[in-house]
Amino acid sequence: MQTPREISESRAMHGISVALLTGDHDHLTALQTRVENTRLARVVFSNVGFPAGPTDSILRQIQDVRAEVVLVEISAENPQRAVSAIELIQANTAQIAIFALGSMQQPANIVAAMRAGAGEYLDENAGPEALLEALTRYSSTRTRSRSGAGKARIFTFLSAKGGAGATTAAVNTALALQQAHGNVVLVDFAPIGHAQLHLNLRPSFGVLDALENLHRLDVSLLDGLMTTTKDGLHLLAGPQAPYPSVPTPAELARLFDLLVNHYRHIVVDASSRLDATTHLLSDLSNAVLLVAQTDVVSLWSAGRIHNFLEEGTGRDRLRIVLNRYKKIPGFSDVDVEQATKCKVLWKIPNAFQSVSPAIDHGTPIVLQDQDVSRSYRSLAAALAEAGSSDGLDLVYGQEGADAKKPAGRLVISPVRAGQ
C-alpha cells in the first residue's frame, strides 16, 4: 500500500475530485478547507442542500464534474435528508465513492449511513488526518473496486440458547456458499471463537487484530489476517478469550465496508452473543438467522431475543432456523412463529449422531453426502438467490391482516416437546 505522501506526489497534478454536500451554509467553507488541506484532493463541486430525487440536478452536476468522491455531511438534528441523499447517489451514479461526515456519538446515524451506501464514516470533529487516511484507502483500493467486486450480502447466525447449533449452521452454510459460488468469508464474532475448531484450523490472526489495526487496514492487510480452508473459505477467526472491549459502531462499519467490497458473501457467527455488537451486526446484515430447536427453552429464548432486537432494524430481517428438527404431531410452523414472533425460514433435520463426530474431527458435515448435508447446501442456495424474482424475500416485516394480529402465546408440555 502506498503512503499518503507517495500517493499525493503521484497525483499532485490533479488530485482526487471531491464533491461536497451539506445542509449548513456556514460549514461549507470549513469543509472545503478540510479537503484542500489533505493535498490529495480538490473540491470540484459544493452545494448547500441535498438531492431530493433521481432526476435532481445535483446528481447530474456531480456526474458532469466527474467527482470521484462525494463527502456528505450528516446533521445530528436532521440526519434523514443526508442519509436519503447517500441512497440516491449510490443508486443513481456509478463508480463514485461516498464518505459520510458526522457525530461519532450517534450509532444509529453511523449504521444508517453505511447501510445507505457510505464507504467511510468520518468524525466531524477530527482533523485533516482522518480524511487523508480515508482518501488514501480509496485511492489504494480504487482499481479493485472498479473491477466489479460488488457488494456482498451479510448473513448473521445467532443462537437462541447455548448449544442450539448456531456455529455449526454458520460454518456449514459458509462452506456450502463457498463451494457453490466462491469468494466467501466466515467472520467469528462469538464471545470465544469456535469456528476454527469446526474447520480444524489454527489461525494466527483474527477479528481482534482487524479491529486493532483499522487505522491502516486495507485489502492486503485484511487478506493477511485470514485463515483459509482447503476449499478456499476465508475465516476471520474469533478470540480465544472473551473480548476485552466492545467495538464501536464506526469500527464495525469500517470493517464491514472492507469486507462487503472484497467478498461475495459474508457469514457471521454471533453464536450466543447478546450485546450492543449483536444489535449492530443485525442492523448491518441482510438476514439474521436465529438458530433454535423445538423445545420450550429454545423457543422462549427466541421470543426474548426478538424483543431484544426490537429497537433496531435487524428485527425485520430476523428468521428462525430450526436445527435438529423432527416433526412433532400437532406442532406446526404457526405454533413456532406465534411463540417466537419470527417466521420460520428453514429446518435442518436431526442428525446429531453424524454431526457431533464431524465437529469433533473438524470435518464439517456439509462435506459429506447425507440428508443434513443437502439441507445446508439448499439453505445456502436459497440465501444466495434471496432478493431475486424467484428467491426468498429477506425483508421480513409482517404485512396485511397478519400484522394486526397479536402474537399468540404457546404453551408446550415437556412430554410433547420431547417426542
Side-chain angles (χ1 to χ4, degrees):
M1 177 178 174
Q2 290 178 291
T3 66
R5 180 180 294 276
E6 290 170 337
I7 294 174
S8 182
E9 290 174 351
S10 67
R11 297 183 57 85
M13 291 297 294
H14 301 288
I16 299 172
S17 301
V18 176
L20 302 177
L21 297 179
T22 177
D24 191 327
H25 188 277
D26 294 337
H27 291 182
L28 194 57
T29 301
L31 289 175
Q32 292 171 332
T33 302
R34 190 169 182 173
V35 171
E36 301 292 350
N37 283 347
T38 65
R39 302 183 63 185
L40 177 57
R42 60 193 176 95
V43 177
V44 295
F45 175 79
S46 59
N47 190 76
V48 178
F50 304 100
T55 60
D56 196 298
S57 62
I58 296 175
L59 293 177
R60 186 184 68 251
Q61 292 177 74
I62 289 173
Q63 293 173 299
D64 288 346
V65 298
R66 297 185 180 182
E68 298 169 275
V69 174
V70 179
L71 183 61
V72 181
E73 184 179 39
I74 298 181
S75 165
E77 293 75 24
N78 185 17
Q80 189 53 49
R81 290 180 58 208
V83 172
S84 297
I86 293 172
E87 292 178 339
L88 284 171
I89 297 168
Q90 174 71 14
N92 295 281
T93 63
Q95 300 181 350
I96 294 181
I98 306 171
F99 293 0
L101 180 73
S103 170
M104 303 301 284
Q105 305 304 315
Q106 297 181 308
N109 290 351
I110 298 174
V111 171
M114 302 303 287
R115 285 200 63 84
E120 298 273 356
Y121 192 98
L122 307 176
D123 186 354
E124 62 184 358
N125 296 317
E129 295 80 9
L131 178 57
L132 176 60
E133 289 181 1
L135 290 168
T136 301
R137 287 191 291 265
Y138 162 75
S139 186
S140 298
T141 60
R142 177 175 43 188
T143 301
R144 180 185 294 271
S145 297
R146 289 185 176 181
S147 67
K151 290 282 187 180
R153 286 178 177 172
I154 305 171
F155 306 121
T156 292
F157 285 81
L158 189 61
S159 182
K161 69 168 186 175
T167 298
T168 302
V171 167
N172 285 280
T173 302
L175 270 173
L177 284 167
Q178 174 64 30
Q179 290 180 324
H181 303 282
N183 201 23
V184 177
V185 63
L186 172 61
V187 185
D188 192 344
F189 262 99
I192 299 179
H194 291 159
Q196 63 193 57
L197 302 178
H198 287 240
L199 294 165
N200 195 24
L201 297 175
R202 299 294 181 268
S204 300
F205 305 102
V207 169
L208 289 182
D209 299 284
L211 294 173
E212 290 171 357
N213 290 277
L214 282 174
H215 62 286
R216 62 188 186 95
L217 191 63
D218 60 8
V219 170
S220 298
L221 179 55
L222 185 65
D223 282 339
L225 299 178
M226 296 293 173
T227 306
T228 307
T229 70
K230 62 181 181 180
D231 297 281
L233 173 68
H234 281 192
L235 170 68
L236 189 58
Q240 297 183 21
Y243 283 95
S245 61
V246 176
T248 67
E251 289 172 338
L252 278 182
R254 168 64 186 147
L255 175 60
F256 277 85
D257 176 58
L258 276 174
L259 292 171
V260 298
N261 283 289
H262 190 46
Y263 290 96
R264 185 168 185 176
H265 295 104
I266 300 167
V267 177
V268 179
D269 175 24
S271 190
S272 56
R273 180 173 191 153
L274 292 172
D275 58 8
T277 297
T278 307
H279 259 294
L280 290 165
L281 289 171
S282 299
D283 288 345
L284 289 169
S285 298
N286 296 90
V288 183
L289 307 177
L290 184 57
V291 180
Q293 299 175 30
T294 51
D295 61 70
V296 175
V297 174
S298 191
L299 297 180
W300 182 89
S301 297
R304 271 59 190 176
I305 291 173
H306 179 276
N307 293 339
F308 170 72
L309 297 176
E310 191 71 32
E311 295 180 0
T313 58
R315 69 182 185 279
D316 296 327
R317 290 177 285 276
L318 189 65
R319 279 284 182 98
I320 293 288
V321 173
L322 292 175
N323 191 30
R324 301 174 197 153
Y325 176 77
K326 52 186 178 182
K327 190 174 180 61
I328 300 174
F331 183 67
S332 66
D333 289 0
V334 173
D335 294 323
V336 174
E337 291 172 357
Q338 287 182 337
T340 62
K341 295 177 284 186
C342 307
K343 292 185 178 180
V344 175
L345 174 70
W346 210 260
K347 301 168 186 173
I348 305 296
N350 186 14
F352 181 79
Q353 298 302 322
S354 300
V355 174
S356 182
I359 295 172
D360 291 340
H361 292 96
T363 54
I365 196 70
V366 76
L367 301 178
Q368 303 178 27
D369 185 19
Q370 299 189 36
D371 287 344
V372 65
S373 312
R374 289 185 284 273
S375 181
Y376 277 121
R377 288 193 285 269
S378 296
L379 171 59
L383 292 174
E385 296 170 3
S388 66
S389 58
D390 298 324
L392 296 169
D393 182 3
L394 292 184
V395 178
Y396 306 141
Q398 292 182 326
E399 298 177 357
D402 290 340
K404 300 178 181 178
K405 296 179 181 178
R409 184 181 179 189
L410 176 64
V411 178
I412 309 173
S413 73
V415 174
R416 180 178 166 193
Q419 288 178 342

